[in-house]
Amino acid sequence: MELRQLRYFVAVAEELHFGRAAKRIHISGPALSQQIITLEREIGAELFVRDRRSVRLSEAGRALLPDARRMLALADDARRRVQRAAADSVPVRLGYVSWLPDDLTAVLGAAISLRLDEWVLPSHVQADRVAEGALDIALTWVTAQQASERGLTTYLVRAEPLPAVLPGVSSAEPIAAQQLTVLIDADESAWSSWNRFAGEFADATGARIVRIDDGGVTGDAYYAHVRRIAAPILASPKRHTAVPPPSLGQRPVTDPVPLWTWSLVRRENDDRAGVMRVVEALLTVAQRSSWRTPPAQRWWIPADDPHRGVLDGSERR
């Protein structure tokens, strides 16, 4: 039983409405529902009685509520005391999804105290964790709406062109976006960000959608889909730990180039010196490394990407 689960439980218990509770604590509705189900499984009792029209506390829920409030109050008091005592000496907690700058310690410099979180989780989960305070910052993918709903400030660190993988040998010869296939996985809890990106890309370019249910957006299952479909498939930004088969190659995508934007996110009201030093250091390295520079060819990002102004030069950040 985790503190964040108790915090979610109290929010639902006070609102008696999952949608309002999700908005109040700045997480997505499906993520909130899943966490409540997980908590109920761990406790071994249903905490809410749900039907189509209402949500109300069960007997177990009423018994847990005062204890949950006390535990959260104690945790909040302890956190405030520690924060006051440690002030700027507390390491900044950084979460990520699948990409980090090489040799992060050297990139940031010895003067910046950073703790890299061990949980490598999907984009929407890392954004939720920053919003709720489990992380200070994260390198993730978010839409402008998701950032706004969670009270997050976003900074563009990298615009990553996504290639295609197809049967044959690797080549620098580009392949047109409309010739691609994109994979959309049934597991929204793991792949909601990718599914949104891939679906919008297909709508914008005419790329073909193939729906899967095996997590084959990455890894060996992804390569198996490329062989089975025998067509160029857009690669996700998730780093492949599996070795690419020699029968498959990679080619750049053009007309347009799909860009996956890596955002550095922090809470809007968290402007502590340590957090801002990490933000400034990463943005400086990103600028020097041209990670934020879009390709010369026509490029594409989803309509609700928060970084369009940076990429097209209409704003600087």
Side-chain angles (χ1 to χ4, degrees):
M1 184 164 53
E2 301 177 9
L3 284 174
R4 64 171 178 153
Q5 292 173 328
L6 292 179
R7 203 174 300 278
Y8 297 162
F9 162 70
V10 169
V12 178
E14 291 177 350
E15 298 289 345
L16 293 180
H17 190 281
F18 276 81
R20 289 195 299 268
K23 185 175 182 179
R24 166 178 153 182
I25 55 181
H26 304 297
I27 68 168
S28 63
L32 175 59
S33 297
Q34 186 58 51
Q35 288 297 323
I36 294 298
I37 291 170
T38 300
L39 179 60
E40 290 175 326
R41 287 173 180 166
E42 292 179 1
I43 291 176
E46 288 191 350
L47 300 173
F48 297 98
V49 179
R50 310 165 176 86
D51 58 39
R52 291 184 178 180
R53 296 185 177 180
S54 66
V55 176
R56 64 183 189 276
L57 281 165
S58 67
E59 288 294 330
R62 283 193 290 271
L64 177 61
L65 183 57
D67 289 335
R69 284 172 170 155
R70 281 194 293 271
M71 284 187 279
L72 291 173
L74 286 170
D76 289 341
D77 287 344
R79 182 175 64 251
R80 284 191 290 269
R81 287 196 300 272
V82 170
Q83 287 175 342
R84 285 195 298 267
D88 233 10
S89 64
V90 176
V92 175
R93 298 163 298 175
L94 170 65
Y96 70 105
V97 179
S98 67
W99 174 77
L100 282 173
D102 293 335
D103 198 0
L104 187 60
T105 302
V107 164
L108 295 179
I112 293 179
S113 181
L114 185 75
R115 189 181 79 194
L116 186 62
D117 192 76
E118 295 179 354
W119 290 11
V120 180
L121 298 169
S123 287
H124 66 283
V125 177
Q126 298 296 48
D128 286 343
R129 294 179 72 210
V130 173
E132 69 194 18
L135 294 171
D136 298 313
I137 54 177
L139 279 167
T140 186
W141 184 91
V142 292
T143 66
Q145 180 179 354
Q146 289 169 336
S148 177
E149 290 174 346
R150 290 158 177 77
L152 300 176
T153 297
T154 64
Y155 304 89
L156 177 63
V157 174
R158 183 183 181 191
E160 180 181 359
L162 300 183
V165 175
L166 68 166
V169 297
S170 295
S171 167
E173 182 68 22
I175 186 166
Q178 65 180 8
Q179 297 179 258
L180 298 182
T181 294
V182 296
L183 303 179
I184 291 182
D185 196 271
D187 185 2
E188 282 288 317
S189 66
W191 298 107
S192 64
S193 295
W194 170 256
N195 287 349
R196 181 168 185 164
F197 180 96
E200 289 192 32
F201 177 75
D203 288 344
T205 63
R208 172 193 177 201
I209 292 176
V210 170
R211 300 188 182 276
I212 58 175
D213 60 5
D214 60 357
V217 175
T218 186
D220 284 327
Y222 169 79
Y223 294 127
H225 285 304
V226 177
R227 290 193 297 267
R228 175 179 62 83
I229 296 171
I233 297 181
L234 184 66
S236 81
K238 183 75 172 177
R239 270 50 193 171
H240 294 274
T241 55
V243 177
S247 60
L248 302 181
Q250 191 176 97
R251 288 172 61 181
V253 178
T254 190
D255 196 28
V257 179
L259 297 180
W260 180 271
T261 55
W262 289 111
S263 293
L264 181 64
V265 300
R266 67 171 177 89
R267 291 180 295 283
E268 290 176 350
N269 60 357
D270 188 2
D271 57 358
R272 289 172 294 153
V275 170
M276 299 311 297
R277 280 199 296 268
V278 176
V279 170
E280 291 165 8
L282 277 172
L283 292 182
T284 297
V285 173
Q287 196 67 40
R288 291 174 180 170
S289 304
S290 298
W291 292 338
R292 292 154 50 102
T293 303
Q297 309 97 308
R298 184 167 69 96
W299 46 268
W300 177 90
I301 55 175
D304 197 28
D305 191 287
H307 305 300
R308 182 173 300 277
V310 176
L311 290 169
D312 65 18
S314 61
E315 70 176 69
R316 295 175 60 85
R317 192 168 81 180

